[in-house]
Amino acid sequence: MARDDKSEEARPGPRHVAIIMDGNGRWAQQRGRPRLYGHHAGAKRVRDIVEACPDLGVEYLTIFAFSTENWKRTQTEVAGLMGLFRRYIEREARALVRDGVCVRFIGDRVKLEPKLVDMMDNLEMLTAGNTKMNLTVAINYGGRDEVTRAARRLAYEVQQGRITHEEVDAETLARFLDTRVLPDPDLVIRTSGEARISNFLLWQSAYAEYEFIDTLWPDFTPTEFASVLKSYTLRDRRFGAVRA
């Protein structure tokens, strides 16, 4: 862990935390249960972490629910996950509205079933005015896919003459990303002991801090979450600069 050698003074906690929720399948297999059992347990853990965010000072939480590569899993598991997403929205919508959570979904919705897309759209509409915290759920999301789609939309704007090629820079491209209304993540957490980013928020996480922990996602409690956030405050974030 990178720490400031000159000072132990804690810095502000992360405003935006992104989480790669890994380990649901292994958690279930350790208990002799099917992988979907672990995904159900993981969905319940999401509620615990979302509820903990306001008291921990986290304004934005982005969770990686289903990647563009996850379609390679068995048809049974994919179908089960899609059903789980529908049930999660049905079960949690009222609580999310009540608790002031603004929900957004990122990713390519074209491949998702229309009923699920309608539910996602409706939940976004119902929670659009909420300001207590922001929950972003990445479904059928991949960082490279997101940047490709953004570049395609930007190229179309240039083709239509609404943007000149001289105006194209990093800030311009960022306006076409799925996350254009969100701040970049300060901290990215991956559970389950894997130390890779798996195509998650590639553009947005250029200067994020990373924390790879061994805990499987269903066992990742708000207490451990708070501990990870505390360790973040001891890191020396220089963003390419050198401190005097």
Side-chain angles (χ1 to χ4, degrees):
M1 181 188 305
R3 297 179 62 169
D4 187 349
D5 294 331
K6 295 185 178 181
S7 174
E8 292 294 328
E9 181 181 355
R11 292 169 176 78
R15 182 184 180 209
H16 182 178
V17 178
I19 304 180
I20 302 171
M21 306 179 297
D22 196 17
N24 292 332
R26 274 171 283 168
W27 185 89
Q29 290 171 341
Q30 287 175 1
R31 289 158 177 77
R33 305 295 296 272
R35 289 176 58 84
L36 280 174
Y37 178 76
H39 293 306
H40 281 277
K44 293 178 182 178
R45 184 59 69 194
V46 169
R47 172 191 281 188
D48 298 333
I49 299 302
V50 170
E51 290 179 347
C53 281
D55 289 340
L56 295 173
V58 176
E59 299 176 41
Y60 296 86
L61 176 69
T62 299
I63 56 175
F64 203 3
F66 189 88
S67 79
T68 52
E69 289 75 32
N70 286 157
W71 297 104
K72 300 174 185 177
R73 297 186 178 186
T74 67
Q75 186 175 7
T76 298
E77 184 171 357
V78 170
L81 284 168
M82 294 301 152
L84 176 60
F85 295 149
R86 293 194 302 271
R87 286 191 293 276
Y88 179 84
I89 293 174
E90 291 173 347
R91 186 178 65 242
E92 300 294 331
R94 184 175 299 178
L96 291 166
V97 172
R98 181 197 65 214
D99 294 341
V101 180
C102 179
V103 181
R104 298 179 180 87
F105 295 93
I106 59 173
D108 188 354
R109 304 187 189 193
V110 173
K111 196 171 181 179
L112 300 176
E113 58 186 47
K115 180 179 179 180
L116 175 58
V117 173
D118 287 344
M119 295 175 72
M120 291 160 59
D121 290 342
N122 187 54
L123 185 58
E124 287 182 325
M125 181 184 67
L126 287 174
T127 63
N130 290 346
T131 58
K132 189 172 182 181
M133 78 154 292
N134 296 268
L135 172 64
T136 302
V137 183
I139 295 182
N140 195 28
Y141 174 87
R144 289 182 174 180
D145 177 70
E146 178 191 24
V147 174
T148 300
R149 288 186 285 107
R152 187 179 300 124
R153 290 193 292 266
L154 177 55
Y156 179 77
E157 293 297 303
V158 173
Q159 183 184 51
Q160 295 300 306
R162 289 189 280 266
I163 298 174
T164 66
H165 72 274
E166 291 89 353
E167 294 175 299
V168 177
D169 56 16
E171 184 177 340
T172 304
L173 180 59
R175 296 203 301 267
F176 290 85
L177 295 173
D178 297 351
T179 57
R180 54 192 168 274
V181 299
L182 303 174
D184 288 342
D186 304 295
L187 173 66
V188 179
I189 301 170
R190 181 173 188 144
T191 59
S192 87
E194 303 291 348
R196 57 180 179 270
I197 60 176
S198 294
N199 201 18
F200 184 48
L201 299 179
L202 299 180
W203 179 282
Q204 301 86 342
S205 300
Y207 283 100
E209 296 291 318
Y210 280 83
E211 189 77 36
F212 299 104
I213 61 177
D214 292 333
T215 306
L216 302 178
W217 172 248
D219 291 328
F220 186 64
T221 65
T223 298
E224 186 168 6
F225 185 39
S227 177
V228 173
L229 300 186
K230 184 177 181 180
S231 71
Y232 166 91
T233 67
L234 300 177
R235 297 190 179 201
D236 185 19
R237 306 187 74 207
R238 295 187 293 272
F239 300 97
V242 177
R243 295 191 185 279

